[in-house]
Amino acid sequence: MPIARNSVDVSRFNRQAHLPYSLRLQDFQMALQDVYDFLFDVNAHLTKKGLQRLDDMLRPAILSGVLSDMLTASLAKHSRVLTENQYHNGHPDLVVQGVYPNNAVKAGVEGVEVKTTRKAGGAVDTHGAREQWMCVFVYRVDTESEPAIERESMTFTEAYLGHVTIEDFRRNPRSELGTRTATLHKEGIQKLRRSWVYRLD
């Protein structure tokens, strides 16, 4: 069975969404489709050689990181105002062009942080509570259907873009070896969900 090419359902965008930094719904549509097209090309090539799909090869955390990087790069390509933060592991992932020297900043405020998660509703851990524009993409991966060649393609099911503050977060307990993280608390995640951009369900 050949790999199926996924496509964005344009009817599922929130036409009343208030987007910062001159972002457009079309920017999100093209970014999502860029990822779908990439995975189709790669997975078609892999399965033709009898290899696993990329979705099946990568551990969940690695796949999430790959998707975040791809969406960040694609949004930067299509956006009229935002570009990738050139500071390694800098915050936010997307910065306003020309605001920071060489478009690089360790911890800036003008821009958008991009996250991906499999958790429905967009709850995602961050490295710290801070005021920011947060963009969260939710996706699902079929890891159970058999035979594996018939599994559904990775699908983005939700996208949110909202402004959150330090007060919207709860600090997570840290183990002796763990890194401290922060997650939007109940009211904070409800605030983010009100700023939905794309929803399939």
Side-chain angles (χ1 to χ4, degrees):
M1 179 179 176
I3 294 291
R5 184 188 296 273
N6 216 337
S7 60
V8 180
D9 186 344
V10 296
S11 70
R12 298 295 185 150
F13 282 101
N14 180 8
R15 303 296 170 183
Q16 277 69 53
H18 297 287
L19 304 176
Y21 305 119
S22 298
L23 282 165
R24 302 159 294 182
L25 294 179
Q26 294 94 322
D27 298 331
F28 285 85
Q29 178 187 342
M30 290 185 287
L32 295 176
Q33 194 62 52
D34 282 348
V35 176
Y36 284 159
D37 291 345
F38 172 83
L39 288 176
F40 171 78
D41 292 339
V42 169
N43 287 334
H45 179 73
L46 290 172
T47 56
K48 191 179 296 184
K49 291 181 173 294
L51 300 171
Q52 287 183 305
R53 302 179 312 165
L54 191 65
D55 322 32
D56 296 324
M57 285 184 186
L58 300 180
R59 295 196 301 270
I62 294 176
L63 178 60
S64 183
V66 169
L67 293 176
S68 293
D69 289 346
M70 291 179 66
L71 288 165
T72 297
S74 192
L75 281 171
K77 179 176 67 174
H78 298 298
S79 169
R80 293 174 292 170
V81 172
L82 299 172
T83 189
E84 290 185 78
N85 188 347
Q86 297 303 307
Y87 193 98
H88 179 63
N89 285 335
H91 183 280
D93 297 307
L94 294 166
V95 296
V96 178
Q97 296 183 61
V99 169
Y100 303 107
N102 301 312
N103 294 319
V105 61
K106 182 177 182 180
V109 295
E110 293 296 335
V112 175
E113 180 73 357
V114 177
K115 299 289 185 183
T116 60
T117 180
R118 296 190 191 196
K119 297 177 183 176
V124 61
D125 290 341
T126 68
H127 290 302
R130 65 180 86 198
E131 183 172 355
Q132 60 188 319
W133 280 98
M134 179 183 287
C135 184
V136 179
F137 294 91
V138 181
Y139 65 97
R140 65 170 176 245
V141 177
D142 180 4
T143 59
E144 298 179 357
S145 297
E146 293 294 341
I149 193 67
E150 295 181 4
R151 289 176 181 170
E152 292 184 10
S153 302
M154 186 282 298
T155 300
F156 291 106
T157 57
E158 305 162 54
Y160 303 93
L161 175 55
H163 186 264
V164 295
T165 66
I166 294 175
E167 290 72 26
D168 292 321
F169 288 85
R170 62 174 167 78
R171 275 68 168 182
N172 300 321
R174 181 178 60 178
S175 65
E176 290 184 12
L177 299 178
T179 301
R180 183 176 297 280
T181 61
T183 307
L184 291 172
H185 54 52
K186 181 178 178 181
E187 293 77 17
I189 197 65
Q190 289 175 346
K191 179 179 177 181
L192 180 69
R193 288 171 183 165
R194 288 194 292 270
S195 302
W196 68 278
V197 176
Y198 182 76
R199 281 196 311 223
L200 286 186
D201 304 322

